[in-house]
Amino acid sequence: MTQNYRVENTGLINRDKKLSFKFNGKKYSGYEGDTLASALLANGVHLIGRSFKYHRPRGFFGAGVDEPYAVVQLFRNGETEPNIKATEQELFEGLEANSVNCWPSVNFDIGAINNFLKIFLPAGFYYKTFMWPKSFWYRIYEPFIRKAAGLGVASTKHDKERYEHKYEYCDLLIAGSGPSGLASAYAAAKNGAKVILAEDKPRFGGSLLTSDVNIGNQSGRDWAEGIVSELKEMSNVVVKNRSQIFGYYDHNMLVMSEKISDHLPKTKKFHPNKKLWYIRAKEVLISSGSIERPIVFGNNDTPGVMLSSAAKEYLKVYGVLVGKNPLVFTNNDSGYETAIEFKKNGIDSLVLDTRKNPESEIINEAKSLGIKIKFSHVVVAAQGYKRVKSADIASISDNKKQLGKIENIKCDCICVSGFWTPTIHLASQSGNKTKFNEDIDAFIPGISKQNETTLGAANGVFSLEETLKTSFQAGNEISKKITKTDKKIPIPNVVEKKSSQHDKFWCVPLPKGKNYKRFLDFQNDVAVSDIEIALREGYRSIEHVKRYTTLGMATDQGKTSNLNGLQLVSEIENKVVPSVGHTTFRPPYTPVSIGAIVGREVGKHSKPTRKSPMHSWHEKNNAVFVDAGVWLRPRYYKKGNENLFEASKREAKNVRSNVGVCDVTTLGKIDIKGPDAAEFLNRVYTNAWLKLPVGKARYGVMLREDGIVMDDGTTTRISENHYHMTTTTAQAANVLSHLEYYLQLVWPELNVNVVSTTEQWAGAAIAGPKSRDLLQKLFPKSDVSKEGLPFMGYMEGDLFGVKARIFRISFSGELAYELNVESDNGNFMWEKIMEVGEEFKIQPYGTEALSTLRIEMGHVAGSELDGRTIPYDNALEGLTSKKKDFIGKRSLQRAAFIAEDRQRVVGVVPLDKKTSIPEGSHLVKDANAPLPNPKLGHISASCWSVEYDNPFSLAILKDGKNMIGKKLFVMSPLKNKIIPVEIVSSHYVDPKGERVRS
Amino acid sequence: MLYINCPHCGMRSQNEFSYGGDASIKRPELNKEISDNEWNDFVYNRKSLRGKHLELWQHISGCRQWIKVERDTATHEIFRTFKADEEVAS
Ligand SMILES: [Zn+2]
């Protein structure tokens, strides 16, 4: 077969460029400018897939975004993508696509057996069937359904394509480049407004591409081309094709997906596949047009039954006949346009018009062309399985209830027109209160909620003349309010054929004794009978009917099915459509690739990576890194074949016996300045701050107002009105916001400023019995003796020409100091410490050793300050002042917080002194108690004590204060461990704190 | 995405802000004796209004100022915004 259905002398395809492609493994050819759908139809291929539920054969129903059937699995450049509409996918050389929903093949489909087992799959089948016996679900039903259903297979490979995001602002965003979009864009652009015009198809012009009209003495198509090329030249206008505005969000934010590479065999180097635009528009003009709706009749899902507008588009845009013996079935004048187009290409058709004796210009034209017409006639049922072979037709009574004698006529396609449904999705998404328009049997936008205006067919205006007039006006008036410029554009003359009234007829009655399936929703296989069942079973709300039957819930979102569904519900319920109401339109209007939504935020770009100034040194010295929030911190420094456990033990031991150095740059740092700084700290921290002298640091705990510990850290008085606060790495951002909240909103009378200085300082902790000796060599000019720099003391020093801050603070339980230098000098500081420290056997230590050291000495950290504990729980109640008020103090009087058996931090040692205790394990009294075994507490942090050479953990334990010395069990069902343990003091090492003060 | 008029910076998208809850809540004064109920009202009890709501937002990725935003919680319409120390006339 070589494009037997392609006709000469019509279409916008490039016949000089032939393209070859494969469908279901078979080779075909098409032309540049084709869609996959038009190219297949040119080759006479109508069978493209199987339906979702009954696996009935599926063909093409539309020619664009409204297509419910023709969903394929696409293969392009070694990648695969499911859920691609063949009607939207542009053809490229080497394209390969497969049918979905059919197994093992589109021609022989096992799932079609469902068609004969319909009894199992009526409305609500998701809820009713497969429920019994229960065990069958996992083993039989579910795997079978998964295999038989679904709309394709997602790739399991990493997507190599790149997707970009773009933020844009404009005066007018115009959705759709049909007559109303072009006219309004032109008028607004001439007034100098910043305009974005978006068209989802590759070609601009919308209905002007297929309609037989004249604008300003040229064809509609030429007029559109002229306007588009003029707009493209204007610097204040962005014109985008292949760009679908799919969502209208709050405050006039719209999102558009631009396909940049999908029409090419391969994405160009440095080009994205798609670009997602976030557009904040001052005004939005919706010119999204309308979609033809079907008439419901028997077997109306047979391949070859399609919208008459689609048949016309395949002919006028692609030069493709959807059949050579067409039957047109219409309730309005649009069907005649299709019949005339066939005739012009030498194809005779028969028109069935449900109306009795309509008269109009276009009907007269059809008559004069010799087109056969039968008025008051309907298609009762299509016949043929994989392709329409004939149609049962009959006359219909004036009241549309009685069918005449049924006659079978041969045909190879049935082009249906049930009038037009405005595309109101965007308006509805914006919150517009839509209203039902009796004249067109459809909803149109009503009162706008946001700055949106709907124009043309989307607003139910089907006359071109009126559309152009109102759109030029709207474009001019809306833009002139923004730009204060008023360039009057003359509205061009329009020549179009006037239409006669359509027939409010949408569903052909069943003939006696026949039980044809009459489908409403073609993608989800929802038939008239399903809606009837739902209503019979008591569903009333249209939202419930939708969910029960899945009407309109497929990937096409019911673009062709919703209104007929509403008509049916209103008919059965004896209500009018507006009182039934339509279901909510939700974004996206059409499926959007997950890749486009994610954009560049994948892999390492999914979050920023923060590195300390010493990062490259750590890398060079075999550091194994760990994520600490967005920071990368050395977890340990690997020597030889060491594992984590061995390395961290070595590093921690070296701190206890010699001296170690740890990168603490990641700690949050906040500069606090102002005459009221001391008073502010006194309110923020639980302990007293008014008497801290200059040159001294103090450990502080801050609470939230609910009494829960928020963070801890040291703050140092640098000078009279200048403090340097440190926070934990994790809470740095929250603490800053917390401080700003109180300064700006609660106590604005305090004269204090806070600013984050985390990035300004590089930090190194040097810890161990030899740290003072090292410090003295690093700062030979400073007196860092026990007296010169006592515990919690602070001084500035000169580190080989670099200004450094020296804090005598300890997180390890050892004599320790923390050095800060400006970030740029961080590496210099580190290298000097390593160089000078060599004689003291210095070793760097990572977060794992850091944890070991702090756990051993019972210093609480993030795993205890977990947002659920109060100062008492962390043995920090000694730091809560009785004399002064502070943030969260009043909450500490809550009954639960002062309970006698309140939880408290304790130490935990396994009785065998060997078994490591998994973090997160529960502490229980009796390991054999029936489940659920009452939990007394949990293990918050575990380490291998280098001091005692056995496992040691911290735990938050109920009545912890009175549990010291008791024997309990640690249970970890996850690790399948039960460990007998003894509860000890949390201060396992140096309980009196003698070393830090030495 | 909301479009919020920061009184210091102008119109900015929501992703530059973080939400801070009901702006009508007043923290009890320090050192004042108050009942459990009063304190609970301050810490926990919120009206969760449907409709016009005065709330706090912080322009964290901008000027870092806490601001007050009068917003409809059902429609997301923003009526007015205020600086932290600005008097809110109803
Ligand atoms: Zn701001």
Side-chain angles (χ1 to χ4, degrees), chain B residues 6-10 12 17 59 62-65 67:
Chain B
C6 172
H8 308 279
C9 311
R12 299 299 181 96
F17 294 84
H59 195 186
C63 61
R64 292 206 63 89
Q65 295 301 301
I67 61 168

Side-chain angles (χ1 to χ4, degrees), chain A residues 509-752:
Chain A
L510 281 176
K512 276 202 184 68
K514 293 286 181 189
N515 198 21
Y516 298 126
K517 276 268 171 200
R518 293 173 298 168
F519 285 95
L520 291 166
D521 182 316
F522 301 105
Q523 198 175 95
N524 266 359
D525 279 1
V526 181
V528 171
S529 51
D530 292 313
I531 304 285
E532 288 167 349
I533 290 172
L535 293 165
R536 235 175 14 243
E537 293 184 357
Y539 291 88
R540 288 294 174 271
S541 152
I542 188 67
E543 295 280 4
H544 291 160
V545 171
K546 165 181 162 175
R547 279 157 185 79
Y548 195 56
T549 62
T550 74
L551 174 78
M553 283 172 69
T555 60
D556 68 334
Q557 291 214 334
K559 291 182 178 71
T560 51
S561 64
N562 281 339
L563 262 171
N564 284 340
L566 289 177
Q567 291 281 10
L568 178 62
V569 173
S570 59
E571 205 165 288
I572 299 171
E573 290 283 286
N574 242 327
K575 282 183 190 163
V576 286
V577 172
S579 72
V580 175
H582 61 77
T583 53
T584 316
F585 292 102
R586 291 195 176 85
Y589 171 69
T590 189
V592 183
S593 297
I594 299 284
I597 292 167
V598 174
R600 296 282 280 143
E601 291 164 29
V602 287
K604 72 172 183 178
H605 296 297
S606 57
K607 56 180 171 58
T609 304
R610 296 177 83 177
K611 296 173 181 173
S612 93
M614 289 84 94
H615 188 83
S616 58
W617 188 95
H618 304 321
E619 269 180 333
K620 272 180 243 150
N621 289 274
N622 298 325
V624 175
F625 292 93
V626 63
D627 289 324
V630 293
W631 286 96
L632 273 183
R633 296 190 71 177
R635 191 171 185 192
Y636 62 99
Y637 299 81
K638 198 180 171 86
K639 273 193 179 174
N641 289 327
E642 274 179 343
N643 59 23
L644 164 70
F645 179 71
E646 291 157 352
S648 62
K649 218 162 116 177
R650 167 182 53 76
E651 291 169 7
K653 258 187 181 159
N654 191 58
V655 171
R656 293 263 183 258
S657 48
N658 297 305
V659 58
V661 58
C662 182
D663 187 344
V664 293
T665 302
T666 63
L667 283 183
K669 303 172 205 73
I670 298 170
D671 235 30
I672 302 175
K673 280 184 177 172
D676 296 322
E679 172 62 25
F680 181 53
L681 290 171
N682 208 44
R683 297 177 185 185
V684 167
Y685 282 128
T686 60
N687 48 343
W689 284 79
L690 294 178
K691 287 176 186 156
L692 181 74
V694 172
K696 275 288 205 179
R698 182 165 288 174
Y699 174 73
V701 175
M702 60 178 82
L703 308 186
R704 312 188 308 214
E705 291 287 16
D706 63 1
I708 300 290
V709 178
M710 178 170 184
D711 199 41
D712 70 339
T714 56
T715 290
T716 306
R717 192 167 195 175
I718 304 287
S719 66
E720 180 64 21
N721 292 327
H722 180 193
Y723 291 79
H724 170 83
M725 174 185 275
T726 64
T727 73
T728 58
T729 303
Q731 291 293 333
N734 290 342
V735 170
L736 184 64
S737 274
H738 178 76
L739 301 181
E740 286 165 337
Y741 174 90
Y742 284 94
L743 285 173
Q744 293 172 26
L745 290 160
V746 184
W747 303 309
E749 69 278 9
L750 293 182
N751 189 354
V752 180

Side-chain angles (χ1 to χ4, degrees), chain A residues 758-980:
Chain A
T758 303
E759 307 267 325
Q760 274 64 44
W761 298 99
I766 52 177
K770 295 181 186 164
S771 56
R772 182 180 289 130
D773 299 338
L774 168 60
L775 196 71
Q776 192 62 71
K777 287 217 160 182
L778 288 169
F779 298 94
K781 285 176 255 169
S782 305
D783 175 15
V784 297
S785 66
K786 193 175 173 181
E787 296 73 29
L789 184 58
F791 182 55
M792 298 308 267
Y794 162 78
M795 62 164 59
E796 285 181 7
D798 177 75
L799 180 75
F800 305 100
V802 163
K803 206 178 94 176
R805 289 178 169 181
I806 312 166
F807 306 85
R808 188 175 161 189
I809 52 180
S810 173
F811 192 58
S812 55
E814 296 297 329
L815 171 66
Y817 303 87
E818 211 176 291
L819 303 186
N820 277 188
V821 295
E822 285 175 12
S823 289
D824 286 352
N825 297 324
N827 214 43
F828 172 82
M829 165 182 72
W830 190 271
E831 281 175 350
K832 279 291 168 202
I833 293 171
M834 289 306 296
E835 184 189 313
V836 176
E838 204 180 341
E839 64 172 290
F840 305 106
K841 296 189 175 139
I842 193 164
Q843 286 183 23
Y845 63 102
T847 56
E848 201 67 23
L850 185 79
S851 285
T852 297
L853 297 167
R854 74 96 185 165
I855 293 168
E856 273 190 326
M857 73 171 289
H859 190 126
V860 291
S863 47
E864 291 77 36
L865 310 177
D866 63 355
R868 296 179 294 184
T869 55
I870 59 169
Y872 175 88
D873 305 348
N874 294 292
L876 295 170
E877 72 278 11
L879 288 174
T880 53
S881 169
K882 300 272 181 295
K883 292 183 195 136
K884 57 136 197 177
D885 201 357
F886 52 84
I887 292 168
K889 184 179 189 183
R890 179 65 178 77
S891 286
L892 297 179
Q893 295 172 22
R894 290 179 61 197
F897 288 177
I898 53 175
E900 270 300 302
D901 61 351
R902 179 76 200 170
Q903 62 178 6
R904 191 170 170 88
V905 64
V906 294
V908 179
V909 178
L911 293 186
D912 68 0
K913 303 260 171 132
K914 279 201 294 250
T915 313
S916 289
I917 303 174
E919 289 175 350
S921 307
H922 284 189
L923 283 156
V924 298
K925 197 170 174 187
D926 175 5
N928 298 314
L931 296 174
N933 196 336
K935 168 197 164 191
L936 301 176
H938 73 276
I939 302 293
S940 57
S942 287
C943 71
W944 187 276
S945 165
V946 289
E947 183 91 2
Y948 296 101
D949 202 25
N950 59 252
F952 176 73
S953 296
L954 293 176
I956 304 289
L957 180 62
K958 191 172 185 186
D959 198 20
K961 196 175 192 172
N962 298 313
M963 297 295 277
I964 309 295
K966 296 260 165 66
K967 301 216 165 45
L968 297 175
F969 293 91
V970 156
M971 288 189 82
S972 174
L974 277 178
K975 300 262 162 98
N976 201 18
K977 273 187 171 177
I978 298 172
I979 309 161

